[in-house]
Amino acid sequence: MELLKQYLDIAVFGVLGLMSFLMLAYTIERYVFFSRVEVHRFDDQHTLYVALTRHLTIVASIAANAPYIGLLGTVLGILVTFHDLAQAAELSAATVMLGLALALKATAAGLAVAIPATLFYNALVRRTDVLTAHWQSIKNRT
């Protein structure tokens, strides 16, 4: 239990930090790609779709799973708090509240990662739809 208590925050915030980094990196990469893509060079819609949606699954997975990483950190933090309470000689409301408040920071961090990831994913999907529609209008003219 001491190992969990010592490394819980580092593990949870490390994973969430990595998820944030990957989400931002792939989002920036997609925006750069979208700004440079020449849709008229694609011969079929399937190839265009594959090129446009590359890495979007990663952004969506981060958006979907970051709250669960935060929730896991909160549950484990509460578990540590209850363990510490069971080991303590006296029970005080301040000790319980402090432990619970510290545990809830993991959920807040998970949401802080998931909300922007969801927004970025939706914006990227919208841009994919716009570029696909642009390709279709070009192909319909020819």
Side-chain angles (χ1 to χ4, degrees):
M1 189 60 71
E2 288 301 316
L3 183 70
L4 180 64
K5 184 178 179 179
Q6 186 174 0
Y7 293 108
L8 178 61
D9 284 348
I10 295 169
V12 169
F13 289 109
V15 169
L16 289 172
L18 176 64
M19 292 171 84
S20 293
F21 175 78
L22 290 173
M23 179 261 302
L24 286 173
Y26 285 123
T27 298
I28 291 168
E29 184 272 334
R30 287 288 83 194
Y31 275 115
V32 169
F33 176 77
F34 290 160
S35 69
R36 295 180 180 171
V37 68
E38 297 174 357
V39 293
H40 61 85
R41 294 187 182 242
F42 287 88
D43 294 328
D44 65 289
Q45 188 173 0
H46 180 70
T47 307
L48 174 66
Y49 179 78
V50 169
L52 293 177
T53 58
R54 185 172 172 234
H55 301 306
L56 291 187
T57 304
I58 295 170
V59 177
S61 296
I62 290 170
N65 290 301
Y68 294 116
I69 300 297
L71 182 61
L72 177 64
T74 297
V75 169
L76 292 175
I78 291 171
L79 179 73
V80 167
T81 299
F82 285 150
H83 178 267
D84 289 348
L85 288 173
Q87 301 298 318
E90 63 182 59
L91 178 67
S92 73
T95 305
V96 174
M97 292 303 141
L98 177 64
L100 296 178
L102 291 175
L104 287 172
K105 69 184 176 193
T107 297
L111 292 173
V113 173
I115 292 169
T118 302
L119 295 172
F120 286 138
Y121 174 76
N122 289 335
L124 291 169
V125 168
R126 170 69 178 145
R127 186 71 180 136
T128 298
D129 293 343
V130 168
L131 289 170
T132 302
H134 180 65
W135 177 84
Q136 287 174 339
S137 70
I138 290 171
K139 292 302 174 183
N140 288 339
R141 281 188 263 162
T142 59

